[in-house]
Amino acid sequence: MKPLDFLKRQELIQGKLQSQNIDMLMIPPSINFFYMFKGYLQLSERLICGIIDRNEDSIIIAPSFEKENMKIQTTFDDVITWKEEEDPYIILKQALSYEPKKIALEPSTPFNVYTRLKKQFPSAEFVDGGLFLNELRTIKTEAEVQRMIQAAEHTAEGITKTLDSIKEGQTELEILKLAQKQLSNLSGEMSWFLVQIDENSAVPHGKPSNKKLKKNSVVLIDAGTTCDHYFADITVTSVHGNASEEFLKVYAIVEEANNAALEKSKAGVPAEEVDFAARGVIEKARYGEYFTHRLGHGLGLQVHEEPYIVKGNREPLVKGNVHTDEPGIYIPGKFGIRIEDDVLVQEKSKRLVEFDRYLWK
Amino acid sequence: MKPLDFLKRQELIQGKLQSQNIDMLMIPPSINFFYMFKGYLQLSERLICGIIDRNEDSIIIAPSFEKENMKIQTTFDDVITWKEEEDPYIILKQALSYEPKKIALEPSTPFNVYTRLKKQFPSAEFVDGGLFLNELRTIKTEAEVQRMIQAAEHTAEGITKTLDSIKEGQTELEILKLAQKQLSNLSGEMSWFLVQIDENSAVPHGKPSNKKLKKNSVVLIDAGTTCDHYFADITVTSVHGNASEEFLKVYAIVEEANNAALEKSKAGVPAEEVDFAARGVIEKARYGEYFTHRLGHGLGLQVHEEPYIVKGNREPLVKGNVHTDEPGIYIPGKFGIRIEDDVLVQEKSKRLVEFDRYLWK
C-alpha cells in the first residue's frame, strides 16, 4: 500500500494557520497526533505534545526517557524533553522562541491539559483546532482509501463467516468472541463489535449479554476492524434459520432506504439530503418512528467522525469523503434491522465493499 | 465480590461541591463516569453527560435513541434526551433549573466539549474537577481492592505461564499474542502488553517488534489485565536459558531497590520518599543514570493515576492507595531490567500478589 504522507499534512496545516492568523496548533497524543506525526501513542498523564508552528518547523515535547521511542515512532528526529521531576508546561514555554498569542488545540485535548497550558500562556487565546484538522481528515487520499477498502473487506468477511458458523444456544457474548477471532485473524489489528439477538437488536448500541441464539432468531452484528488504524464499520442483520414474513417485509424497507441513500450520496449534495433520502423511504412505509438515529457518520481514523449525515448538516459532501449508510428500523420487544455500508463519495458514490447479505434460508 | 457503591460516591462528591462552593460537576463518558454512574461508556461526538449537583439529584443527558440503553447501563432511572438534529448543549441548558456560576469539569473532558459548554454558560467559571475526584479514587475501598487483587493474580499467572511456554525463534509480537491468550483466558477482560527482548528491553515503553528470542535472551514482559475494569500492572524480567553474570548482578540491584521501596511505603510517608528509597539503592550501586523514570504511579481504573511516586510529590501516602513499585536499570544496547509490583498502602504496605519471578536456570 502507498505510504501516508505526514509531512505534507503538516505543511497543509501550516497554510491554514497562516491564513487564520493562528500561531500554532498543539496536538497531544490522539488520532490527530497519529494523522500528523505518525506515532500511534496513548494519551497519558505525562505531557507529550506535537506542535505545528505557522512559520517554524514542527516540534515535539516528551518525557526524557521517551526520547528514543519518540524518534522511532514519530516523524520527529529531535525531541524537547522534560525530566520526571520537572513541570513539562514550564519546559514547553521555555522551549518556544516567542510568546504565542493565538493557540489552536487539538479538539480532544483534555480539559486539565488546557488549564495547565492556560496557566503558562495566560494572555493567549485558545481556539478549537478541530475545524481545519477535519478539513483535511474528511477528504481521504488514495492511500487512505486503500486502507479503508482493506478494512471493509476484512470486516464483511469476518461477519459473514461468523454468521455462517454460529449455533443455537450460543450467547451474544460467545458469538462476539467468535467474531473477534475471525476479524483478528483476517486483519491482525484491533476490532470492535456489537452482537444482538432478537428483541435486543431493537436497542441501538446495547451491550452484548448472555441472551441465547434460538432457531429462527434475528441476529445483528455491527463490527469493524482496522487497516493501519483506518476503520471499517459494517452492520449485517440476519436470521438463524427461516425469516418471518414480518422480518422480510421490514428488511426490504431498510434495504430500499440503504439503496436510496447510496443513490443520493455524491459530491456536492448537502449531507442531510442523504439522510432524508433514506428516511423518506422508511416514513413512506409508516415505520418513521422506529428509525431513531441519523443515517450515518464519516469514517476513517475514528469510527465516528465528520461529515455527519444528519438533519441540519447542510454542508455539501466532497469527493473523498467516506461515510456510513446505516438506516435501521427498531421495533421494541420484537427486533431491529440495520443495514450498514461504508460509502466513498465521488461523482457517483460507491460502497467500499459489496458482499452477499442474505444468509438466511 | 462486593458490589461497588455508586450512589455513595455521588453523595461524597456532593459534599465536596458544597464545601468548595461549586454548583455542579459535569462528567462526560470517561473512567470517572464509570466510577460515579456505573456505565462503562465510550466517549463519542454525541454528547452524553452525567451531572452531580451540589443540592439536587444527579441527572444525565444523552441522545434520545440511547435512553433505554442509559437506563440499563447507568445508575440513572430517567434521562434528559436530545434528538439527532438538536443542539444538545442548548437542551442541557434548558434542562437545568438554574444558571450555574461555577462548574467543575471532569479532567479528561475534551476541549471541544468545554468550548461548547462555555458558549452556553459564558459567565460561568469552569474549574478542573480532577482534584476532588482523585481524593475519592485514590483511596480504594475493600470492594475495589478485591478486584485489584484478582487482576494482579491473573496478570502474574498469565505472564509467568507465557514465559514458561516461549521458544527460541519467536518474535516479540508472537510472544505478545501468547500472553494475550493467557491473560484473556484467565480474566475474560481486556489486557495490555509490552514484550521486549535483549537490547529492546533497554527502551522503556518501546513497541513490540519482530525481534526474535534467542538462547539466553533477556525477555521483559510488562502487562496488565482488569477485573471489573480495575487494572493490574506487573513487569517480569527474565532470561530464556542461562542468566549472564552481568544480568544477575544488575537484577540483584533492581530487586533490592524494589524491596527498599516496599519497605518505605506506608500510610503517612511522602510519596517521593518511596522513590528515593529505591533510587538510593541504584545510585549507591552506581547505576543511577540508568534508572530514567519515576518509581511508580497509582493504579486503579486507570493504569496510571494518582498518587505518582516521583520526586516533587510530597503528599503523604494514605491507607487504601495502590501504587506500582517499578524500579528499572536500562543499559542502552545491552538490556533493561524492571521489576514491577502493585502495592497496597497500609500501616505496612504489601504487594497485591507475591509470585516466583526466578524463571531462568
Side-chain angles (χ1 to χ4, degrees):
Chain A
M1 271 187 279
K2 288 194 179 175
L4 301 169
D5 194 344
F6 300 100
L7 296 178
K8 174 82 181 157
R9 293 172 179 172
Q10 293 174 33
E11 270 173 36
L12 289 168
I13 289 289
Q14 273 195 319
K16 289 178 192 282
L17 292 172
Q18 287 161 8
S19 72
Q20 294 185 43
N21 208 21
I22 296 171
D23 292 315
M24 53 185 67
L25 170 63
M26 295 187 174
I27 311 182
S30 56
I31 295 297
N32 283 314
F33 185 99
F34 171 74
Y35 185 78
M36 284 296 157
F37 309 122
K38 199 181 79 172
Y40 204 85
L41 310 179
Q42 284 298 311
L43 181 71
S44 88
E45 77 289 357
R46 287 181 175 113
L47 183 70
I48 294 176
C49 191
I51 300 175
I52 303 176
D53 189 276
R54 59 188 293 179
N55 297 314
E56 300 171 17
D57 286 347
S58 298
I59 57 172
I60 185 172
I61 181 167
S64 54
F65 77 94
E66 296 259 38
K67 183 171 182 171
E68 290 312 307
N69 193 21
M70 291 299 113
K71 285 157 76 173
I72 293 165
Q73 291 198 45
T74 72
T75 56
F76 295 98
D77 46 25
D78 202 8
V79 182
I80 297 160
T81 61
W82 56 274
K83 296 198 197 81
E84 291 279 52
E85 66 273 19
E86 291 176 327
D87 182 333
Y89 295 85
I90 295 175
I91 306 290
L92 170 59
K93 183 172 185 168
Q94 289 166 349
L96 297 182
S97 60
Y98 66 100
E99 175 99 15
K101 289 191 190 67
K102 194 169 182 181
I103 299 170
L105 290 186
E106 195 281 333
S108 73
T109 300
F111 183 69
N112 66 353
V113 170
Y114 158 68
T115 56
R116 282 177 248 181
L117 287 169
K118 183 79 186 157
K119 196 175 157 195
Q120 294 304 321
F121 305 102
S123 61
E125 181 189 355
F126 287 83
V127 298
D128 183 354
L131 193 64
F132 47 86
L133 281 164
N134 282 335
E135 280 172 6
L136 261 64
R137 275 186 46 197
T138 50
I139 301 174
K140 269 70 181 178
T141 62
E142 198 196 320
E144 290 177 296
V145 171
Q146 284 179 332
R147 285 158 175 76
M148 296 186 71
I149 290 173
Q150 178 77 274
E153 287 174 351
H154 284 152
T155 302
E157 187 179 345
I159 295 175
T160 49
K161 277 190 170 165
T162 303
L163 288 170
D164 276 343
S165 72
I166 57 178
K167 291 182 181 64
E168 281 169 46
Q170 289 175 335
T171 66
E172 291 173 349
L173 284 161
E174 286 166 350
I175 294 170
L176 191 152
K177 281 202 174 177
L178 294 173
Q180 168 80 61
K181 207 169 171 179
Q182 292 284 1
L183 266 75
S184 80
N185 280 347
L186 286 162
S187 74
E189 295 196 19
M190 68 84 72
S191 309
W192 59 270
F193 306 89
L194 289 178
V195 176
Q196 299 178 303
I197 293 173
D198 291 327
E199 63 268 31
N200 285 2
S201 61
V203 183
H205 288 195
K207 287 222 164 163
S209 72
N210 285 314
K211 188 171 178 62
K212 285 183 180 169
L213 189 74
K214 292 181 292 197
K215 197 178 171 196
N216 303 331
S217 277
V218 170
V219 52
L220 179 156
I221 299 184
D222 184 347
T225 190
T226 60
C227 174
D228 197 12
H229 303 294
Y230 284 84
F231 273 98
D233 182 5
I234 287 173
T235 306
V236 177
T237 309
S238 185
V239 177
H240 187 71
N242 293 300
S244 69
E245 212 167 297
E246 186 179 12
F247 177 89
L248 291 173
K249 179 188 164 196
V250 176
Y251 193 92
I253 298 162
V254 179
E255 195 174 35
E256 190 187 336
N258 172 284
N259 286 326
L262 178 66
E263 276 298 309
K264 179 56 95 177
S265 172
K266 67 181 79 170
V269 168
E272 66 175 5
E273 289 189 15
V274 181
D275 179 291
F276 298 161
R279 201 166 301 274
V281 170
I282 292 173
E283 283 172 353
K284 198 174 154 201
R286 299 178 176 271
Y287 281 92
E289 67 180 298
Y290 301 121
F291 179 16
T292 48
H293 56 72
R294 66 190 175 203
L295 180 80
H297 49 80
L299 187 67
L301 289 171
Q302 287 172 290
V303 181
H304 292 182
E305 57 179 56
E306 298 203 15
Y308 295 105
I309 314 299
V310 61
K311 183 178 174 182
N313 185 4
R314 298 188 186 91
E315 288 291 316
L317 294 174
V318 178
K319 195 177 167 205
N321 286 167
V322 175
H323 68 80
T324 63
D325 171 7
E326 48 176 316
I329 293 178
Y330 309 94
I331 307 175
K334 278 191 178 171
F335 58 76
I337 295 175
R338 182 165 62 251
I339 300 176
E340 180 182 23
D341 285 309
D342 304 332
V343 168
L344 172 64
V345 176
Q346 298 179 314
E347 301 313 320
K348 183 173 166 19
S349 299
K350 64 171 190 182
R351 296 185 177 104
L352 293 185
V353 60
E354 298 271 0
F355 63 102
D356 180 11
R357 290 171 168 275
Y358 305 102
L359 304 169
W360 56 86
K361 287 173 195 165
Chain B
M1 269 187 281
K2 286 193 179 177
L4 301 169
D5 193 344
F6 299 100
L7 295 178
K8 173 80 182 163
R9 292 172 180 171
Q10 294 174 33
E11 270 174 37
L12 288 168
I13 289 289
Q14 273 196 317
K16 288 179 193 285
L17 292 172
Q18 286 162 8
S19 71
Q20 292 184 43
N21 209 20
I22 296 171
D23 292 317
M24 51 186 66
L25 170 63
M26 295 188 174
I27 310 182
S30 57
I31 295 296
N32 283 314
F33 185 99
F34 171 74
Y35 185 78
M36 284 296 158
F37 308 122
K38 198 182 78 174
Y40 204 84
L41 310 178
Q42 286 297 312
L43 181 71
S44 87
E45 76 290 355
R46 286 181 175 114
L47 182 70
I48 295 176
C49 192
I51 300 176
I52 303 175
D53 189 275
R54 59 188 294 181
N55 297 313
E56 298 172 16
D57 286 347
S58 298
I59 57 171
I60 184 171
I61 181 166
S64 55
F65 77 94
E66 296 260 38
K67 183 171 181 171
E68 291 312 306
N69 195 21
M70 291 300 114
K71 284 158 75 173
I72 294 165
Q73 290 199 44
T74 73
T75 56
F76 295 97
D77 46 25
D78 201 8
V79 182
I80 297 159
T81 60
W82 56 274
K83 295 198 197 82
E84 291 279 51
E85 66 272 19
E86 292 176 326
D87 182 332
Y89 295 86
I90 295 174
I91 306 289
L92 170 59
K93 184 173 184 167
Q94 290 166 348
L96 297 182
S97 61
Y98 65 101
E99 174 99 15
K101 290 191 190 68
K102 194 167 182 181
I103 298 170
L105 289 186
E106 196 281 332
S108 73
T109 300
F111 183 69
N112 66 351
V113 171
Y114 158 68
T115 56
R116 280 177 248 182
L117 286 169
K118 182 80 186 159
K119 196 175 157 195
Q120 294 304 322
F121 305 102
S123 61
E125 179 189 357
F126 287 83
V127 298
D128 182 354
L131 192 65
F132 48 87
L133 282 164
N134 283 334
E135 281 173 4
L136 261 64
R137 275 185 47 197
T138 50
I139 300 174
K140 270 69 181 177
T141 61
E142 199 196 318
E144 291 176 296
V145 171
Q146 283 179 333
R147 286 158 175 76
M148 296 186 71
I149 289 173
Q150 179 77 275
E153 287 174 350
H154 284 153
T155 302
E157 187 179 344
I159 295 175
T160 49
K161 276 189 172 166
T162 303
L163 288 169
D164 276 343
S165 72
I166 57 178
K167 293 183 180 63
E168 280 168 47
Q170 289 175 333
T171 66
E172 291 173 350
L173 284 161
E174 286 166 351
I175 294 170
L176 191 154
K177 281 203 175 176
L178 294 173
Q180 168 81 61
K181 207 168 170 181
Q182 291 284 2
L183 264 75
S184 80
N185 279 347
L186 287 163
S187 74
E189 294 196 20
M190 68 85 72
S191 310
W192 59 271
F193 306 90
L194 290 178
V195 177
Q196 300 178 304
I197 293 173
D198 293 327
E199 61 269 30
N200 284 3
S201 61
V203 182
H205 289 195
K207 284 220 167 165
S209 72
N210 285 314
K211 187 171 178 61
K212 284 183 181 169
L213 189 74
K214 292 182 294 196
K215 197 179 169 194
N216 303 331
S217 277
V218 171
V219 52
L220 180 155
I221 298 184
D222 185 348
T225 190
T226 59
C227 173
D228 198 10
H229 304 294
Y230 283 84
F231 274 98
D233 182 3
I234 287 174
T235 307
V236 177
T237 309
S238 185
V239 177
H240 188 69
N242 293 301
S244 70
E245 212 167 299
E246 188 181 12
F247 178 90
L248 291 175
K249 179 189 163 196
V250 176
Y251 194 93
I253 297 163
V254 179
E255 195 173 36
E256 190 186 335
N258 171 284
N259 286 328
L262 178 66
E263 276 298 309
K264 179 57 93 176
S265 172
K266 67 179 80 171
V269 169
E272 67 174 4
E273 288 190 16
V274 180
D275 179 291
F276 298 161
R279 201 166 302 273
V281 170
I282 291 173
E283 283 173 352
K284 198 174 155 199
R286 298 178 176 272
Y287 281 91
E289 66 181 298
Y290 301 119
F291 179 17
T292 48
H293 56 71
R294 66 190 176 201
L295 179 80
H297 49 81
L299 186 68
L301 289 171
Q302 287 172 290
V303 181
H304 291 182
E305 58 178 55
E306 299 205 16
Y308 296 105
I309 314 299
V310 61
K311 182 177 173 182
N313 185 4
R314 298 187 187 92
E315 287 291 314
L317 295 173
V318 177
K319 196 176 168 207
N321 286 167
V322 175
H323 69 81
T324 63
D325 171 7
E326 49 175 315
I329 292 178
Y330 309 94
I331 307 175
K334 280 192 178 170
F335 58 75
I337 295 175
R338 181 166 63 253
I339 300 175
E340 179 182 24
D341 286 309
D342 304 332
V343 168
L344 172 63
V345 176
Q346 298 179 313
E347 301 312 319
K348 183 171 166 19
S349 299
K350 64 171 189 181
R351 297 184 177 104
L352 293 185
V353 60
E354 298 271 1
F355 63 102
D356 181 11
R357 291 172 168 273
Y358 305 103
L359 305 170
W360 57 86
K361 286 172 195 165

